Amino acid sequence: MMKKKQPDGPSAEVHLSQDSGHATDQSHSRSDNHHHGHSHNHDHNDDHSHSHGHSHGLGHGHDSSVPARRLKLVLSVILIFAAVEIAGGLLSGSLALLSDAGHMIADSFAVFMSLLAFSISSRSVTRRHSYGFYRAEILAAFVNGLLLAAYALYIIFESYQRFREPRDIQLDLMAWVGLAGLAVNVLSAFIIHPVSKDNLNARGAYLHILGDLMGSVAVLGAAGAIYFTGKLWFDPLLSVAISALIIYSAAGLIRESGHILMEGAPAHIGVEAVREQLLSLSGVEDVHDLHIWSITPSHPMITAHIQVAADQPCSHNSLLEQARELLKKEFNIEHSTLQVEYGPEDLRCVNCEETG
């Protein structure tokens, strides 16, 4: 086998053999600006050529320390007040207060799960987990969504029982504990909200807190309505209303985290828009086998086959670099695996199936 330098890249090689006509170019770009690439050319009985490019953006930029610290603070606040609400609910006989206390206990478990997920996701990659453990956060978000929905359904069932058999309620205690609960939940929501926008795991914990906040509002609303009307059914009625809102929020969390777990394309990245942008590159005739998914919402990935005209000069490294820069600039995709193909249509790799 003979080797000679590839003219289009300082670190590229072309390997020639008598039985191949196949070129493979692998280029890696890591988050620490380390670049390397190599190209292999084997002469088969056809003129078909491939070039592979890989750009990795899963370096060490994933910092979960800030949301983790905030979650620890929120967990402490929740556990302390959950005990207060349980005592208040038992003494006052308020279902709304007990439901809110139970929800806070569920919240503490949800926040603990989120903290555990942050701890797991921060582990380094291994041979068996080459993408790392980022998906632990998505799993925690999915489970938190299920727990939210399950608890809301339980409260609806308990409310039905209270409609059938109303119970006396100590309004003063119910109102004071509900007011304190509102203050605690507002504080917790204020602590965790800044990190919930860009992190699905933190958002799951935040939705639990938001559900608690709405529960506290329901407690105060029920206490006021019962005080002015004497109708005890306001307590379970408002509990059902808040539970419905919680189920709505939980459904969104389950849908979004489930979409990621099922390898769905990120909502903010249009597959056809990516295809059109790649087709706009000079010499590109077709883009197929295009797949876009994400490890987490902040870690989108892409694989694609790019076909160039048969008469284009063989400068794979240049085209791959243009494609990677385009994907990063236009779609914030830092991890890409691209294969360049050139040659007549009938010589395209039999393993490639055109998707559009």
Side-chain angles (χ1 to χ4, degrees):
M1 179 179 291
M2 299 185 299
K3 297 183 180 180
K4 67 178 181 180
K5 295 297 289 183
Q6 174 81 348
D8 64 338
S11 60
E13 293 181 355
V14 176
H15 300 271
L16 299 176
S17 66
Q18 296 179 350
D19 61 345
S20 72
H22 184 174
T24 304
D25 182 358
Q26 294 183 322
S27 176
H28 301 263
S29 174
R30 299 190 70 85
S31 59
D32 57 1
N33 295 325
H34 177 65
H35 299 274
H36 56 88
H38 59 277
S39 179
H40 307 277
N41 193 353
H42 307 280
D43 187 7
H44 289 292
N45 294 327
D46 56 36
D47 296 327
H48 194 189
S49 176
H50 301 283
S51 173
H52 300 271
H54 304 266
S55 176
H56 300 276
L58 284 180
H60 301 287
H62 182 74
D63 183 13
S64 60
S65 59
V66 174
R69 286 197 300 269
R70 289 177 176 266
L71 285 175
K72 288 178 182 178
L73 180 58
V74 168
L75 180 60
S76 300
V77 172
I78 289 176
L79 287 175
I80 292 173
F81 194 74
V84 175
E85 277 202 319
I86 290 174
L90 292 174
L91 291 174
S92 68
S94 168
L95 176 63
L97 199 54
L98 283 174
S99 66
D100 193 48
H103 191 202
M104 292 197 79
I105 293 175
D107 282 349
S108 66
F109 179 70
V111 172
F112 175 76
M113 282 183 53
S114 296
L115 282 170
L116 183 62
F118 277 128
S119 176
I120 294 174
S121 67
S122 64
R123 295 179 182 177
S124 301
V125 298
T126 67
R127 291 183 181 275
R128 296 188 61 187
H129 298 87
S130 59
Y131 282 126
F133 295 85
Y134 297 111
R135 278 284 173 85
E137 298 181 15
I138 309 303
L139 285 171
F142 186 77
V143 173
N144 272 337
L146 294 177
L147 289 175
L148 271 171
Y151 185 75
L153 291 174
Y154 170 74
I155 293 302
I156 291 176
F157 173 76
E158 285 295 318
S159 298
Y160 171 73
Q161 300 297 324
R162 284 294 181 96
F163 274 120
R164 296 181 58 187
E165 299 179 9
R167 301 177 188 177
D168 292 333
I169 297 175
Q170 297 183 28
L171 292 181
D172 290 346
L173 183 58
M174 176 182 175
W176 281 112
V177 176
L179 184 62
L182 179 62
V184 168
N185 287 315
V186 168
L187 175 61
S188 298
F190 178 80
I191 293 173
I192 199 173
H193 179 261
V195 296
S196 67
K197 298 178 181 178
D198 302 317
N199 188 288
L200 197 60
N201 183 32
R203 193 184 311 167
Y206 174 70
L207 287 178
H208 274 275
I209 302 300
L210 203 60
D212 264 343
L213 194 154
M214 292 187 294
S216 296
V217 172
V219 170
L220 291 174
I226 294 172
Y227 177 79
F228 287 107
T229 67
K231 305 295 184 180
L232 296 178
W233 50 260
F234 273 110
D235 184 39
L237 177 65
L238 290 179
S239 295
V240 170
I242 296 302
S243 295
L245 291 175
I246 292 173
I247 290 175
Y248 177 80
S249 299
L253 184 62
I254 293 171
R255 181 172 58 252
E256 186 172 354
S257 57
H259 183 74
I260 293 175
L261 292 174
M262 294 298 292
E263 309 288 356
H268 64 286
I269 299 178
V271 176
E272 290 306 314
V274 172
R275 188 193 306 276
E276 291 175 5
Q277 287 288 331
L278 290 174
L279 285 171
S280 70
L281 296 175
S282 177
V284 175
E285 289 188 334
D286 185 34
V287 176
H288 54 279
D289 276 10
L290 175 60
H291 304 284
I292 306 175
W293 73 103
S294 61
I295 300 299
T296 71
S298 59
H299 291 114
M301 307 258 181
I302 181 174
T303 63
H305 289 197
I306 302 174
Q307 182 186 348
V308 299
D311 58 353
Q312 287 292 309
C314 182
S315 59
H316 304 133
N317 288 347
S318 176
L319 177 58
L320 290 171
E321 187 63 28
Q322 292 179 51
R324 286 197 300 269
E325 288 301 318
L326 182 149
L327 292 171
K328 183 176 180 179
K329 178 181 178 181
E330 300 294 333
F331 304 100
N332 198 30
I333 300 177
E334 297 188 1
H335 188 112
S336 57
T337 302
L338 306 173
Q339 174 174 298
V340 175
E341 301 171 354
Y342 64 94
E345 177 74 14
D346 58 343
L347 294 178
R348 181 180 300 174
C349 176
V350 295
N351 291 324
C352 306
E353 295 182 4
E354 189 166 358
T355 59

